[in-house]
Amino acid sequence: MSHKKLTIGLFGFGVVGEGIYRVLQDTQSLNASIKKICIKHIDKERNAPAALFTDNADELLNDEEINVIVELIDDADAAYSIVTKALRQHKSVVSANKKLIANHHQELISLRDEFGVSFLYEAAVCGSVPVIRNLEEYYDNDLLSSVSGIVNGSTNYILTKMKEEQLPYETALKQAQELGFAESDPTLDVEGIDAVNKLTIILKHAYGINEIPEDILYSGITQIHERDIQYAQEKGFNIKLIAQSIQVEAGKVAAFILPTFVDQENRLFSVRNEFNGVLIGSKLADEQFLYGKGAGRYPTSSAVLSDIAALRYDYKYEYKKTALGIQNELSNEVYLQVYVSFESWDTIEKEHFVAIEQVFKSTARNYIIGTVKLDTLHNAEWFYDKNVSVIALGTGVITDGELVHNAASVLELAQ
Amino acid sequence: MSHKKLTIGLFGFGVVGEGIYRVLQDTQSLNASIKKICIKHIDKERNAPAALFTDNADELLNDEEINVIVELIDDADAAYSIVTKALRQHKSVVSANKKLIANHHQELISLRDEFGVSFLYEAAVCGSVPVIRNLEEYYDNDLLSSVSGIVNGSTNYILTKMKEEQLPYETALKQAQELGFAESDPTLDVEGIDAVNKLTIILKHAYGINEIPEDILYSGITQIHERDIQYAQEKGFNIKLIAQSIQVEAGKVAAFILPTFVDQENRLFSVRNEFNGVLIGSKLADEQFLYGKGAGRYPTSSAVLSDIAALRYDYKYEYKKTALGIQNELSNEVYLQVYVSFESWDTIEKEHFVAIEQVFKSTARNYIIGTVKLDTLHNAEWFYDKNVSVIALGTGVITDGELVHNAASVLELAQ
């Protein structure tokens, strides 16, 4: 077995970067060492020898001895510049930057192939949970029917605290930030942007679909109203921000991110705090579940380390769905059952619903439960209105009036 | 990417064999076809063209066009003969036979290496749940701290029905057999032999430990008394048959299989029916959880298919822990907190316990809750007495008086 010596150039020395540094020092069997660390603020005191640090990226990128760049900085534009240069310098790259990967994937993979190196990013999706590796290696045949789950630890932490401790949104967000679960810019988390970036990456590995985040319907959790939480309490539901991707027919995949009411029967119901959980549906294996910490210092470090370990064997993602010529594309021609709450009836276009099952009017807040086409929702102005809250009823979708996939519980939920 | 054409010789045409045959017919992208199927009873009617079948193993083993043998028969001795011959004929092998693998692993891997082929067996451990692949590929650095879980679907089905529907043991066992969750000889399941075979395989991939099942302490579920189930009900516990392997210090791993009281805080609590669930502890990633169907036609087929798919790329297990020279061995020098129930005080040797926390006497059934060394338990006659029921209190172990690993809840449970 080849067992390559890795000489690493590290970008970023935040909690994750420092964690990686410590573990590599303590873990000789990894046969990997950090030669140089590039940071923004060279004058800041660090818990590592000063000689390791530089603020000049080229010192790492032009060092021929360095064969791996580990990129752990927040700024996606700076990361783009670092990663593209590193690949051109024949260095393999490990990154945790979902925004970078979701938006520049095809270019980065072209560079990777042109320069014969590797580009790994397990930490970019669900932290420590090996979602990408399993989609690449184990669910690489075409029997996969759905990949759906909680992929953002920060919003899940906030929603858990809002439900279990009745904390107001702002307090829960502040806690998440203090615990290091939220991105430096919380908007990315709470508006669902982080989740849609991750779903974009999942789609590549699960279905061979290369789309940019803008093509996918998503929302976050900021528009969720206290009445929605009360409704969930009354019905025994939890609200979870769930990314779904479902093979609805040969060649067609429905993908979207919505806050979702889930009942106790759903494995995602009990995914609490910063944990992530992904349900993988397969025609043969039924439902499988991968669960673990999705945010924070150590979970991210863990995924980065597994990528570093894999580079010892020159591991590369093969994008097997694409390589096997499996043709899939996104389809918005499916229906969702949704709960929509709002203050003013003028904001909602009722004719957008193909069916309305329940209408609730009150002076405090109104809601409709109805069935709507994903395509309609994607184009509806009211969906993007911050005073309107759209929450899916259970996971799964409806096609041509039939409940499909894991949608069996959709209608029951609304009873 | 190489994309090898696979020509398969299949041994066994039971539910799994037939499932594989159907899926390969329907799934062109796998680029694999079954050329010949060897069965025991050639006269039995089958749902496939008669020309496919033979009862002569050599027709498959000597066919040079066949490059993969898929072995799905129950008989471990016959399987041994088939698999060793196949490897010697330079054919890669996919097997689901845990008994064969647990008992002949080193010889089979030597043959595999000598003849330059592959030997995969994901279906042998936890059915559809990709435990082996994840241990091989993702948890291959030395930060793994524990691998513990429910690895036998049949006993888990029985225990679930005994608890949730108050079914007697025999009725629950019969149901499990009718549903195809039990091995042809139920003893293997209910006596814990199937579970210890699987744990033996897990130990190779997780820790590089090559032991035979006889070296590991295990018990099954047949000795569980109705009073034990009542005790669990009263305390709000579930009884689960749990295989544990825990790195207790550098180079030392404690491994054992015991019925275990788990409380709601434990993820294994809600693994019901034929499902399996494995908790993977890592120094960095904390607790991860893999969950899915562990028994039955389709889950097993799913794992076999993933192995077949991997052979297209000449995938091989690398036993990275062993390859990296990480030295681990089993240690019984740890302590467990156990509940022991029995009828007669003469059966129990109280001096075997380093501490006894609770004693309960009644005309119906007595029990002790105490702390005992794993080594003592392994050698205690009463442990193997069918009238004595030994159930661990929570997962985890105690070393030198300190709670370690996921044992945090051990003492709380006994309050």
Side-chain angles (χ1 to χ4, degrees):
Chain A
M1 184 172 56
S2 77
H3 186 175
K4 199 166 160 180
K5 166 113 184 70
L6 305 179
T7 305
I8 296 172
L10 175 65
F11 282 85
F13 202 68
V15 287
V16 177
E18 189 174 338
I20 297 288
Y21 168 74
R22 302 243 160 273
V23 174
L24 290 181
Q25 277 202 314
D26 298 346
T27 315
Q28 302 306 324
S29 71
L30 277 168
N31 203 18
S33 61
I34 294 177
K35 188 176 177 191
K36 207 84 196 177
I37 304 169
C38 181
I39 49 177
K40 222 182 193 167
H41 306 290
I42 193 75
D43 297 330
K44 202 168 150 190
E45 205 166 320
R46 314 277 179 174
N47 293 320
L52 272 174
F53 295 95
T54 176
D55 57 1
N56 177 5
D58 288 336
E59 261 194 65
L60 284 64
L61 296 169
N62 294 333
D63 185 330
E64 288 194 7
E65 207 194 351
I66 288 175
N67 53 8
V68 175
I69 293 294
V70 176
E71 176 279 302
L72 299 170
I73 59 176
D74 261 351
D75 178 343
D77 294 331
Y80 171 81
S81 156
I82 291 162
V83 171
T84 49
K85 276 188 202 162
L87 294 170
R88 286 179 199 281
Q89 296 280 32
H90 299 89
K91 298 183 196 312
S92 287
V93 174
V94 174
S95 169
N97 201 313
K98 35 242 147 189
K99 191 178 164 196
L100 166 74
I101 299 157
N103 287 288
H104 298 282
H105 189 266
Q106 289 193 283
E107 181 190 350
L108 297 175
I109 294 307
S110 294
L111 282 174
R112 174 195 81 152
D113 293 341
E114 187 181 341
F115 294 95
V117 286
S118 184
F119 179 47
L120 304 179
Y121 45 76
E122 186 64 74
V125 181
C126 294
S128 62
V129 190
V131 175
I132 300 301
R133 204 74 77 83
N134 273 286
L135 290 174
E136 267 292 297
E137 296 303 312
Y138 193 73
Y139 300 102
D140 60 343
N141 53 56
D142 55 0
L143 301 166
L144 195 74
S145 56
S146 64
V147 182
S148 298
I150 294 167
V151 299
N152 180 275
S154 168
T155 49
N156 202 50
Y157 182 89
I158 294 168
L159 291 171
T160 305
K161 292 293 170 188
M162 285 170 77
K163 152 117 199 247
E164 295 182 2
E165 298 174 20
Q166 282 84 48
L167 293 188
Y169 168 78
E170 276 74 18
T171 315
L173 168 62
K174 200 150 166 279
Q175 273 194 12
Q177 287 177 307
E178 281 165 8
L179 289 164
F181 301 150
E183 298 287 307
S184 58
D185 174 5
T187 320
L188 292 175
D189 290 311
V190 298
E191 299 291 358
I193 300 163
D194 178 75
V196 76
N197 284 336
K198 289 167 176 170
L199 181 56
T200 306
I201 300 171
I202 286 173
L203 286 170
K204 296 177 199 304
H205 294 275
Y207 303 104
I209 292 178
N210 292 303
E211 295 279 353
I212 53 170
E214 283 68 36
D215 295 330
I216 298 166
L217 175 130
Y218 71 92
S219 75
I221 63 167
T222 49
Q223 74 291 355
I224 296 174
H225 192 269
E226 61 185 62
R227 290 277 162 171
D228 306 337
I229 291 172
Q230 197 181 320
Y231 178 88
Q233 297 278 25
E234 285 166 14
K235 301 284 182 181
F237 301 156
N238 276 339
I239 303 178
K240 298 290 182 187
L241 186 65
I242 300 184
Q244 297 194 58
S245 65
I246 300 168
Q247 183 100 45
V248 287
E249 59 181 277
K252 302 280 183 194
V253 173
F256 53 95
I257 289 165
L258 283 174
T260 306
F261 289 125
V262 286
D263 64 14
Q264 281 211 45
E265 294 298 299
N266 193 315
R267 282 250 141 214
L268 301 176
F269 181 91
S270 57
V271 175
R272 297 167 60 243
N273 295 327
E274 78 273 26
F275 280 85
N276 284 188
V278 175
L279 288 164
I280 297 179
S282 137
K283 278 172 207 141
L284 285 178
D286 201 344
E287 177 184 285
Q288 310 229 343
F289 184 53
L290 304 175
Y291 167 91
K293 283 199 175 165
R297 169 184 195 156
Y298 294 113
T300 308
S301 305
S302 167
V304 170
L305 274 171
S306 279
D307 281 349
I308 292 174
L311 287 178
R312 291 176 302 174
Y313 313 102
D314 285 322
Y315 178 73
K316 288 179 190 186
Y317 298 144
E318 301 202 12
Y319 304 94
K320 287 177 187 160
K321 288 285 162 58
T322 309
L324 291 170
I326 292 167
Q327 307 265 326
N328 279 310
E329 58 177 23
L330 287 189
S331 166
N332 285 337
E333 299 298 302
V334 298
Y335 298 85
L336 297 176
Q337 203 183 36
V338 291
Y339 156 108
V340 183
S341 85
F342 48 91
E343 259 156 57
S344 159
W345 287 90
D346 299 337
T347 33
I348 300 300
E349 293 182 72
K350 277 163 83 174
E351 65 277 17
H352 280 164
F353 291 83
V354 294
I356 291 182
E357 285 93 26
Q358 289 182 26
V359 172
F360 177 83
K361 299 187 186 197
S362 89
T363 47
R365 187 87 172 171
N366 310 292
Y367 70 77
I368 284 176
I369 288 177
T371 307
V372 63
K373 206 181 210 178
L374 182 53
D375 188 55
T376 310
L377 205 54
H378 208 162
N379 294 306
E381 222 169 280
W382 53 268
F383 176 71
Y384 303 94
D385 185 330
K386 278 294 158 200
N387 295 310
V388 174
S389 168
V390 178
I391 303 180
L393 277 148
T395 53
V397 294
I398 301 164
T399 54
D400 297 330
E402 296 283 321
L403 292 177
V404 294
H405 308 285
N406 43 351
S409 64
V410 167
L411 290 178
E412 285 162 37
L413 279 171
Q415 307 273 299
Chain B
M1 184 174 55
S2 78
H3 185 178
K4 200 166 157 177
K5 167 115 184 66
L6 306 177
T7 305
I8 297 172
L10 175 65
F11 282 84
F13 201 69
V15 285
V16 177
E18 189 174 336
I20 297 288
Y21 169 73
R22 302 242 159 273
V23 173
L24 290 182
Q25 277 203 315
D26 298 346
T27 315
Q28 302 307 322
S29 70
L30 277 168
N31 203 18
S33 61
I34 294 177
K35 187 178 178 190
K36 206 86 194 176
I37 303 169
C38 181
I39 49 176
K40 222 180 193 170
H41 305 291
I42 191 77
D43 298 330
K44 203 168 147 188
E45 204 166 318
R46 312 278 179 173
N47 292 320
L52 272 174
F53 295 95
T54 177
D55 56 2
N56 177 6
D58 288 337
E59 261 192 67
L60 283 63
L61 296 169
N62 295 333
D63 185 331
E64 288 192 9
E65 205 195 353
I66 287 175
N67 53 8
V68 175
I69 294 292
V70 176
E71 177 278 301
L72 298 171
I73 60 177
D74 262 351
D75 179 344
D77 295 330
Y80 171 81
S81 157
I82 291 162
V83 171
T84 50
K85 277 189 202 162
L87 295 170
R88 286 179 200 282
Q89 296 279 34
H90 299 90
K91 298 183 196 312
S92 287
V93 174
V94 174
S95 170
N97 201 312
K98 37 239 146 190
K99 192 178 165 197
L100 166 74
I101 299 157
N103 287 289
H104 299 281
H105 189 265
Q106 289 193 284
E107 181 190 351
L108 296 175
I109 293 307
S110 294
L111 282 174
R112 175 196 80 152
D113 292 342
E114 186 181 341
F115 293 96
V117 286
S118 184
F119 179 47
L120 303 180
Y121 45 76
E122 185 64 73
V125 181
C126 296
S128 62
V129 191
V131 175
I132 300 300
R133 204 74 76 82
N134 274 286
L135 290 174
E136 268 291 299
E137 298 302 312
Y138 193 72
Y139 300 103
D140 62 343
N141 52 57
D142 55 0
L143 301 166
L144 196 74
S145 56
S146 64
V147 182
S148 299
I150 294 167
V151 299
N152 180 274
S154 168
T155 49
N156 201 49
Y157 181 88
I158 294 168
L159 291 171
T160 305
K161 292 292 169 186
M162 285 169 77
K163 153 119 200 241
E164 294 183 3
E165 299 173 20
Q166 281 86 45
L167 294 188
Y169 168 77
E170 278 74 18
T171 315
L173 169 61
K174 200 151 165 276
Q175 273 194 12
Q177 287 177 306
E178 283 166 5
L179 290 165
F181 300 151
E183 297 288 305
S184 57
D185 174 5
T187 320
L188 293 174
D189 290 312
V190 297
E191 299 290 358
I193 301 164
D194 178 75
V196 76
N197 285 336
K198 289 167 177 169
L199 181 56
T200 306
I201 300 171
I202 286 173
L203 286 170
K204 297 175 199 304
H205 295 275
Y207 302 104
I209 292 178
N210 292 302
E211 295 280 353
I212 54 171
E214 283 69 36
D215 296 329
I216 297 167
L217 175 129
Y218 70 92
S219 75
I221 63 166
T222 51
Q223 73 290 354
I224 295 174
H225 192 271
E226 60 186 63
R227 290 275 162 172
D228 306 338
I229 291 171
Q230 198 181 319
Y231 178 88
Q233 297 278 23
E234 285 166 16
K235 300 283 182 183
F237 300 157
N238 276 339
I239 303 179
K240 297 290 180 187
L241 186 66
I242 300 185
Q244 297 194 58
S245 66
I246 300 169
Q247 183 101 46
V248 288
E249 58 181 279
K252 303 280 184 195
V253 173
F256 54 93
I257 289 165
L258 283 174
T260 306
F261 290 125
V262 286
D263 65 12
Q264 282 209 46
E265 294 298 299
N266 193 314
R267 283 253 140 210
L268 300 176
F269 181 92
S270 57
V271 175
R272 296 167 62 242
N273 296 325
E274 79 272 25
F275 280 85
N276 283 190
V278 176
L279 287 165
I280 298 179
S282 142
K283 275 170 210 145
L284 284 180
D286 201 343
E287 179 184 285
Q288 309 229 342
F289 184 54
L290 303 176
Y291 167 92
K293 284 198 174 164
R297 171 184 194 155
Y298 293 112
T300 308
S301 305
S302 165
V304 170
L305 275 171
S306 278
D307 281 350
I308 292 174
L311 286 178
R312 290 175 301 175
Y313 313 103
D314 284 322
Y315 178 73
K316 288 179 190 188
Y317 298 145
E318 301 201 12
Y319 305 95
K320 287 177 187 160
K321 288 285 159 62
T322 310
L324 289 172
I326 292 168
Q327 308 264 327
N328 279 309
E329 58 178 23
L330 287 188
S331 166
N332 285 338
E333 300 297 304
V334 298
Y335 298 86
L336 297 176
Q337 202 183 36
V338 293
Y339 156 108
V340 183
S341 85
F342 48 90
E343 259 155 57
S344 159
W345 286 90
D346 299 339
T347 33
I348 300 300
E349 293 182 74
K350 277 163 83 174
E351 65 277 18
H352 280 165
F353 291 82
V354 293
I356 290 183
E357 284 95 27
Q358 290 183 27
V359 172
F360 178 82
K361 299 185 184 195
S362 89
T363 48
R365 187 87 171 170
N366 310 292
Y367 71 77
I368 283 174
I369 288 176
T371 306
V372 63
K373 206 179 210 179
L374 182 54
D375 188 54
T376 310
L377 205 55
H378 208 165
N379 294 306
E381 225 169 277
W382 53 267
F383 176 72
Y384 303 95
D385 186 330
K386 278 295 156 200
N387 296 309
V388 174
S389 168
V390 178
I391 304 181
L393 278 149
T395 53
V397 294
I398 300 164
T399 54
D400 297 329
E402 295 283 323
L403 293 176
V404 294
H405 307 283
N406 42 350
S409 63
V410 168
L411 291 178
E412 285 163 37
L413 279 172
Q415 307 272 302

